[in-house]
Amino acid sequence: RTMSGDGAAGGARTAHVERKTAETEISVDINLDGIGKNTINTGIGFLDHMLCAMSKHGRIDLTLSCKGDLHIDDHHTAEDCGLALGAAFDKALGDRKDIKRWGSAYCPLDEALSRAVVDISSRGSAHIDLNLKREKIGELSCEMIGHVMESFATEARITLHVDTLKGKNDHHKAESAFKALGVALRQAISSDAGAGVPSTKGVLS
């Protein structure tokens, strides 16, 4: 694979990343200090819907396009979109100074309730339990929904815990989880002036 991109400059927490493999071709533009506007076209409608929810409630401006081998299945496209989005997030975040570092959120959607907890730890780690029962939602395999989060966390270099605590409808459960992720990210990357590097190690890189 090849991954290229431009990171934050002049204090702007923005990035552009392109990821090209034999399986997918992805372009991502991200602004961590946005208003939640987004244009997302992964080729998988339900994945677009989930990333839109994360962007909107995270106040993260996001433009993402993907041309993937959907004639095979959804795996490469969903996974690589998560990886490219995580790489863009990492580049945009920059030196990880003067941020709150931790964020958490509970978000309901009708009967469903999800919790997301984020640590901008610089150690990619994801622990996801969405308790989904269906094989697919739209054209996205349910097994890939949590995997998108895992892929994102790996390249973003964050520790991520997302759990769906209750719910009956799988669409509601997944959407509440991505909304919670967005809100938790917004909290974790928000300004904490004077915090310096929020680690007793003195570095988060």
Side-chain angles (χ1 to χ4, degrees), residues 20 22 31 48 74-75 98 102 104 106 126 129 134 175 180:
K20 295 181 181 181
N31 178 3
D48 295 352
D74 61 340
H75 184 98
D98 293 327
W102 290 277
S104 61
Y106 290 83
D129 186 0
R134 290 165 56 179
E175 187 171 346

Side-chain angles (χ1 to χ4, degrees), residues 8 13 32 89-97 157 204:
R13 297 198 299 176
L32 300 183
F89 179 94
D90 181 36
K91 287 181 180 294
L93 195 55
D95 60 12
R96 304 188 174 213
K97 292 180 180 177
R157 299 189 303 121
L204 274 178

Side-chain angles (χ1 to χ4, degrees), residues 42-199:
T42 66
I44 305 171
F46 192 71
L47 180 56
D48 295 352
H49 184 41
M50 294 300 96
L51 297 180
C52 174
M54 188 189 83
S55 163
K56 173 65 176 178
H57 298 288
R59 305 291 189 269
I60 296 170
D61 292 348
L62 177 62
T63 300
L64 187 153
S65 63
C66 175
K67 295 179 180 179
D69 57 0
L70 291 174
H71 62 286
I72 296 176
D73 69 2
D74 61 340
H75 184 98
H76 299 142
T77 293
E79 178 179 68
D80 287 4
C81 283
L83 292 171
L85 178 57
F89 179 94
D90 181 36
K91 287 181 180 294
L93 195 55
D95 60 12
R96 304 188 174 213
K97 292 180 180 177
D98 293 327
I99 58 170
K100 291 186 176 178
R101 177 175 169 175
W102 290 277
S104 61
Y106 290 83
C107 285
L109 177 54
D110 296 343
E111 89 297 346
L113 175 65
S114 294
R115 176 187 62 214
V117 183
V118 170
D119 177 9
I120 308 296
S121 61
S122 298
R123 298 183 301 277
S125 176
H127 311 274
I128 315 296
D129 186 0
L130 304 183
N131 195 29
L132 302 174
K133 304 299 184 185
R134 290 165 56 179
E135 180 181 353
K136 299 172 70 175
I137 305 176
E139 293 304 312
L140 182 60
S141 305
C142 282
E143 68 179 2
M144 292 306 299
I145 296 175
H147 189 58
V148 169
M149 292 184 172
E150 292 168 356
S151 299
F152 168 74
T154 297
E155 288 292 321
R157 299 189 303 121
I158 64 173
T159 299
L160 176 62
H161 292 256
V162 182
D163 295 274
T164 297
L165 305 177
K166 60 174 66 175
K168 297 179 180 179
N169 181 286
D170 276 0
H171 184 133
H172 290 174
K173 288 188 280 188
E175 187 171 346
S176 70
F178 273 88
K179 287 178 174 177
L181 173 57
V183 176
L185 286 171
R186 174 156 55 98
Q187 185 180 100
I189 65 177
S190 64
S191 175
D192 187 2
V197 176
S199 173

